[in-house]
Amino acid sequence: MDVLLIQPPIQDFYLTAKRTIPYGLACIAASLERAGFTVGILDALATDKSRPLPLPPEMSYLDEFYDRPDISPFCLFHQYRHFGYSFQHLERRIRESGAFLLGVSSLFSAYAKEAEKTAEIAKKALPGAAIVVGGHHPTALPEDVMKWNSVDYAIRGEGEVSLPILADSLLRGGDISHVPGIVFKKRDGNLHISSPAIMNNLDSVPPPDRSLLKNAYYTRRRSPSTVVVTSRGCPMHCTYCSLGNREFYPYRQRSVDSVFSEIREAVEDFGARFIDFEDENLSFRKEWFITLLNEISGRFGHRDLELRAMNGLYPPTLDEDVVSAMKVAGFRTLNLSLGATCPEQLERFCRPDVRDAFDSCLELAEKYSLEAVGYVICGAPGQSAVQSIEDLLYLAGRRVLAGLSVFYPAPGSKDYEVSKRLGILPEDVSLFRASAIPISHSTSRRESVTLMRLARIINFMKQLIDQGRQLPAPAPIIEEQISTRVGRQDIGEKLLAAFLFDSQIRGVSPDGSIYTHSTENNISRQFLSGLKNITIKSFSRIF
């Protein structure tokens, strides 16, 4: 083949496979094929293979929080792992490709080291090939990527524009400085850094080539799943996001015909039954969204599709017309972006207060028998743990699951610059992830971990209520061991009773030993105090 595009393995505490479909590589591959190149995709994550790793030195502070395994419903993380094929396997596959251009994806800065290692083994496997790195990380931090010894070029922006031109220039010996978004070292050692490449007309590029993906691996309930992106950028200005309405990355949307044609191909040719829309703001334009939903339900109403928007939906864009059309088309869950409830924090986030719209969405979710998840952020610069407790109590009192995201500084975002200015930006890019709890500022790391566990406790209580079970009465833990044969839910009820009694959050080791997690007890006590003043709600019952 001419070009091999590579999704590297990742190293983390967990992996959500349905979020790792290499959609962007499939889109770039289609544009390369249109230009006449033969292309392959090497997806290192399309496997269940994983192996344990020691915790990296830069994450040693996490030992306090993730040091012991926990089989209870209140568990977070424990074992750091390498997810995906080994680098040795990748080296062999790269060598077999014989490609003259190797494209390495580096979407998230937290996994930049894995991308760097992939580039290193790619250069070792095919020394004569050109190595180019693309994705959000080189777009935001091109200087960082060009320090990697094995990298020849970086691409900023949208690779559908750049990669075909770069491949042609390399093949013909042309001037690469004219390639949109290109970054390379000049003869004097300085960097040539172009502005990010942007597609003005999203309908002008071909749909992703799904035939290059390992579709049989990406399934949900034993049915094929896929990803669709209907727009680029976002019209909002949220400070924690690197994509919101930036001058060089404007909000653009595909036509309904283009999107529906792609969905039809995914369903009819590749058997997709679960479709996740990975847009930043899928429902922003009501008329466009309803037209698409009606097209989907009109064509596939008999196929029992499940649709999702896991990146979150903006509550003010959802009214009864939209939600009813979503239900008919195949949505079963509303993933709702709340952000925060504190006015001061919303101002820092540059987000409006959407609580009224959020509550209206929950009423519509109940009316149309949809589940709902509400997402809030904790641990951001200037945000206090007390404010986050109020967010959790707000969600506890509503018919919605609590989705708590720990803040991390996304390169290219305004809050990344804020963190840098405050001197709290982690030195190692591998820490730019929620699981690393990277920021300790107005909310300490211990407080962030406590909030994460409190969110688990809320959702466990909601689960019990939904099952028609009574919440346990407060009761102390007397024994030091518990039988693991009683089941995870029974373990959770016993630990919940103890939490309600003394505010201590406990876990259970695989051998049944009960132990106390490292948390901030003042935060737990404030949470329990607030819990007395609300009615906990679940999906279908009220306690």
Side-chain angles (χ1 to χ4, degrees):
M1 65 186 68
D2 297 321
V3 183
L4 181 64
L5 304 176
I6 308 167
Q7 171 159 262
I10 70 167
Q11 296 175 358
D12 207 331
F13 295 96
Y14 71 101
L15 174 70
T16 306
K18 60 179 175 284
R19 303 302 301 274
T20 63
I21 298 174
Y23 180 84
L25 295 186
C27 291
I28 294 171
S31 292
L32 284 162
E33 289 168 334
R34 174 183 280 185
F37 298 98
T38 56
V39 188
I41 292 178
L42 176 51
D43 182 3
L45 294 178
T47 175
D48 290 328
K49 293 179 180 295
S50 72
R51 58 183 172 85
L53 294 173
L55 195 64
E58 66 269 17
M59 298 185 186
S60 60
Y61 60 88
L62 294 175
D63 267 332
E64 177 185 355
F65 310 117
Y66 304 155
D67 63 327
R68 298 178 67 175
D70 182 5
I71 62 172
S72 83
F74 312 144
C75 66
L76 292 176
F77 312 115
H78 170 59
Q79 180 63 64
Y80 197 74
R81 304 185 72 86
H82 175 103
F83 292 97
Y85 290 114
S86 68
F87 289 112
Q88 292 81 2
H89 176 83
L90 295 188
E91 183 177 347
R92 183 170 64 254
R93 293 281 302 276
I94 292 168
R95 185 179 296 111
E96 292 169 353
S97 75
F100 76 84
L101 178 59
L102 302 171
V104 178
S105 174
S106 185
L107 286 179
F108 303 104
S109 296
Y111 307 129
K113 289 183 178 179
E114 293 90 308
E116 181 180 9
K117 178 67 175 179
T118 301
E120 180 183 317
I121 64 106
K123 181 63 76 174
K124 179 181 177 182
L126 290 174
I131 310 295
V132 58
V133 178
H136 175 71
H137 183 63
T139 298
L141 301 173
E143 297 90 349
D144 182 74
V145 172
M146 294 310 298
K147 293 177 183 176
W148 303 352
N149 294 329
S150 301
V151 172
D152 299 301
Y153 310 104
I155 289 292
R156 305 181 70 213
E158 295 167 334
E160 296 95 326
V161 177
S162 306
L163 263 293
I165 300 174
L166 176 60
D168 184 71
S169 297
L170 293 174
L171 198 62
R172 301 178 185 277
D175 182 5
I176 64 168
S177 64
H178 298 302
V179 175
I182 194 72
V183 182
F184 61 91
K185 290 181 182 177
K186 297 185 291 186
R187 290 183 178 178
D188 61 5
N190 293 318
L191 291 182
H192 173 102
I193 301 178
S194 299
S195 299
I198 299 296
M199 292 184 290
N200 294 320
N201 179 8
L202 300 185
D203 288 354
S204 65
V205 295
D209 185 352
R210 286 184 169 83
S211 70
L212 299 177
L213 302 180
K214 194 175 179 180
N215 295 288
Y217 174 75
Y218 293 105
T219 61
R220 178 178 169 84
R221 301 192 181 103
R222 299 184 179 179
S223 296
S225 62
T226 194
V227 168
V228 172
V229 176
T230 76
S231 62
R232 303 287 177 101
C234 180
M236 299 185 66
H237 299 80
C238 306
T239 58
Y240 50 79
C241 178
S242 60
L243 298 178
N245 203 13
R246 300 178 66 80
E247 183 178 344
F248 71 83
Y249 200 70
Y251 176 68
R252 293 145 293 150
Q253 192 162 49
R254 296 166 60 187
S255 67
V256 169
D257 288 344
S258 169
V259 175
F260 182 70
S261 177
E262 181 185 335
I263 293 173
R264 184 175 61 233
E265 178 187 65
V267 173
E268 296 181 348
D269 295 349
F270 296 93
R273 292 295 178 271
F274 177 82
I275 300 173
D276 176 33
F277 292 95
E278 282 284 312
D279 296 68
E280 298 301 319
N281 207 319
L282 176 65
S283 54
F284 180 65
R285 291 176 175 165
K286 176 180 177 180
E287 183 178 352
W288 177 95
F289 190 36
I290 289 181
T291 301
L292 175 63
L293 293 169
N294 290 341
E295 289 283 344
I296 295 171
S297 56
R299 177 83 178 216
F300 303 117
H302 63 291
R303 296 289 186 102
D304 193 30
L305 299 184
E306 181 180 356
L307 309 180
R308 199 79 176 258
M310 292 187 182
N311 274 349
L313 297 158
Y314 185 50
T317 64
L318 305 181
D319 57 20
E320 186 158 11
D321 292 340
V322 174
V323 173
S324 62
M326 292 174 71
K327 171 69 175 183
V328 174
F331 275 87
R332 303 178 191 177
T333 303
L334 299 182
N335 293 65
L336 302 172
S337 174
L338 180 61
T341 61
C342 172
E344 291 80 15
Q345 186 56 43
L346 288 170
E347 185 176 354
R348 282 191 288 269
F349 281 155
C350 287
R351 280 184 64 94
D353 188 339
V354 300
R355 281 177 289 179
D356 289 343
F358 184 84
D359 286 343
S360 295
C361 288
L362 297 185
E363 292 175 3
L364 292 170
E366 186 165 9
K367 178 177 180 178
Y368 289 98
S369 300
L370 296 167
E371 296 183 355
V373 185
Y375 294 100
V376 293
I377 297 172
C378 77
Q383 185 179 22
S384 72
V386 173
Q387 292 171 349
S388 296
I389 290 173
E390 292 302 316
D391 292 342
L392 290 178
L393 292 172
Y394 177 89
L395 295 174
R398 282 159 174 79
R399 184 186 173 273
V400 62
L401 282 179
L404 182 76
S405 301
V406 174
F407 171 87
Y408 66 91
S413 68
K414 292 182 179 178
D415 280 339
Y416 177 90
E417 297 302 326
V418 169
S419 299
K420 190 175 182 178
R421 188 169 63 250
L422 291 173
I424 58 175
L425 190 69
E427 293 184 4
D428 200 300
V429 294
S430 68
L431 302 179
F432 295 169
R433 66 182 87 184
S435 61
I437 324 171
I439 298 297
S440 186
H441 186 236
S442 44
T443 298
S444 70
R445 287 195 176 99
R446 185 188 294 270
E447 288 174 332
S448 290
V449 169
T450 306
L451 293 165
M452 292 165 71
R453 295 198 188 277
L454 290 175
R456 294 291 179 98
I457 290 173
I458 288 173
N459 289 337
F460 181 72
M461 289 192 289
K462 287 173 176 284
Q463 175 188 327
L464 292 179
I465 297 168
D466 194 41
Q467 294 172 354
R469 301 174 66 131
Q470 292 288 321
L471 295 181
I477 287 286
I478 300 174
E479 66 271 36
E480 296 181 356
Q481 288 281 133
I482 188 171
S483 172
T484 58
R485 289 178 292 182
V486 301
R488 194 165 187 257
Q489 181 164 292
D490 289 336
I491 290 173
E493 289 190 50
K494 183 175 286 292
L495 297 186
L496 176 58
F499 170 73
L500 296 173
F501 178 78
D502 61 12
S503 73
Q504 295 286 332
I505 304 177
R506 297 172 174 86
V508 175
S509 298
D511 65 358
S513 301
I514 300 174
Y515 65 93
T516 302
H517 283 298
S518 176
T519 56
E520 188 60 65
N521 209 31
N522 287 335
I523 298 300
S524 295
R525 284 197 293 267
Q526 289 183 60
F527 171 79
L528 283 175
S529 177
L531 205 60
K532 297 175 182 177
N533 302 318
I534 66 170
T535 299
I536 304 171
K537 292 185 179 179
S538 187
F539 296 114
S540 59
R541 294 176 181 267
I542 299 177
F543 179 77

